[in-house]
Amino acid sequence: MRELTFDTGVQKYTVNGVEDVFRINPTDTEFIGRLSDAFETLNGMWKNRGDTVEEDMKSDDLKQIVSGMRKMDGKTRQTIDDLLGEGVSEQVFGSVSTYALVDGFPVWANFLLSLMEDCDKAYQRERKLSNPRLEKYLKKYRRTL
């Protein structure tokens, strides 16, 4: 039996020192679409966080406010796990709320934006490589046809 082996572009990602947290091909347009959808969903939750936890936020009771934010944190973690694999959010965020703020953004946004940036860089790099490589093979096989 013959076997073909080729590079699928799937890469292992280390996040903040935690190795092999998830694996993706950063140039996979299907993944990029799901990443964009996840970001839009979470960004909508962030923008509407007052509405999302409206009942919990009506009072000045800290327990109710924290409860509402924990619900949003759980939804955020599930969205990220749906995108990258079960348990990824635990490895990435640990016990830190995904709504903790760093540099003006919630940590979930910092994480997904860094992933989006990496996908963009990978796509640009691969795009530059594809035309010369394709031309090389077209030249080679045009002669034999």
Side-chain angles (χ1 to χ4, degrees):
M1 176 187 292
R2 290 187 171 276
E3 179 180 340
L4 289 177
T5 304
F6 64 97
D7 190 353
T8 62
V10 173
Q11 299 177 22
K12 298 178 189 179
Y13 278 75
T14 296
V15 179
N16 292 339
V18 180
E19 292 184 13
D20 201 8
V21 174
F22 60 92
R23 298 170 186 217
I24 61 162
N25 176 332
T27 65
D28 178 359
T29 56
E30 287 300 317
F31 171 76
I32 293 168
R34 292 191 312 274
L35 174 60
S36 177
D37 292 345
F39 189 87
E40 285 183 32
T41 296
L42 296 178
N43 194 41
M45 283 174 49
W46 172 248
K47 285 181 178 179
N48 299 314
R49 64 192 175 280
D51 299 336
T52 305
V53 291
E54 186 175 324
E55 289 303 312
D56 297 322
M57 301 292 271
K58 280 185 178 176
S59 78
D60 291 332
D61 183 0
L62 181 60
K63 285 185 179 185
Q64 284 184 317
I65 293 170
V66 169
S67 173
M69 293 308 288
R70 282 183 177 149
K71 288 177 190 173
M72 287 179 56
D73 179 68
K75 289 179 183 177
T76 298
R77 287 172 182 267
Q78 188 59 57
T79 299
I80 289 169
D81 285 353
D82 289 347
L83 175 67
L84 297 169
E86 198 62 38
V88 167
S89 61
E90 179 64 30
Q91 291 182 70
V92 171
F93 305 112
S95 63
V96 174
S97 170
T98 58
Y99 285 89
L101 297 173
V102 179
D103 294 328
F105 289 115
V107 293
W108 69 260
N110 287 321
F111 171 60
L112 291 185
L113 287 170
S114 68
L115 182 54
M116 291 169 128
E117 189 172 306
D118 187 71
C119 289
D120 184 52
K121 286 178 183 176
Y123 186 81
Q124 296 304 323
R125 182 180 60 249
E126 289 298 323
R127 193 167 169 211
K128 286 179 185 176
L129 294 173
S130 67
N131 285 342
R133 185 171 180 216
L134 183 61
E135 283 300 317
K136 173 186 164 188
Y137 286 107
L138 286 174
K139 272 185 182 178
K140 177 181 178 180
Y141 293 113
R142 273 189 212 145
R143 284 187 241 151
T144 60
L145 295 176

